Amino acid sequence: MQNQNQKCIDECMKCAQVCYSCFDACLNEVNVSERIDCIKSLVDCAKCCEMSASLMSTNSNFAKEHCKLCADMCNQCSQHCSKFPEQHCKKCADECSKM
């Protein structure tokens, strides 16, 4: 049985993966101290996306509210990542802006 929210679940999991990948890459950049807010945002966004996917998977009564929060967090993460020129940041900003 396919969940009615499967496309959104898949997009949330993809966004989380891209955020974790960007997080890992950002830790290896020379200007890590300039990325603190971005790095925190990456983890927040990834965790929120994972939780949204879980709530949608179980058809939780709180899924809709949580997904709204998730969209806000993704937007904030996109804004943080777009400040940096590296490809991993651009990819993350693009992915987060889809949410």
Side-chain angles (χ1 to χ4, degrees), residues 24-86:
D24 186 54
C26 280
L27 291 178
N28 292 308
E29 296 293 344
V30 294
N31 60 346
V32 172
S33 62
E34 296 173 20
R35 297 169 183 261
I36 299 299
D37 289 338
C38 184
I39 290 169
K40 287 179 180 180
S41 184
L42 287 163
V43 174
D44 287 348
C45 185
K47 291 292 187 185
C48 197
C49 284
E50 289 173 331
M51 179 58 95
S52 288
S54 294
L55 292 172
M56 286 185 285
S57 294
T58 61
N59 294 311
S60 169
N61 293 332
F62 296 100
K64 189 174 184 176
E65 291 173 277
H66 195 276
C67 287
K68 287 179 185 176
L69 172 64
C70 188
D72 290 342
M73 292 180 108
C74 287
N75 183 50
Q76 181 183 47
C77 189
S78 177
Q79 290 175 11
H80 282 293
C81 284
S82 65
K83 295 177 184 176
F84 299 99
E86 290 79 17

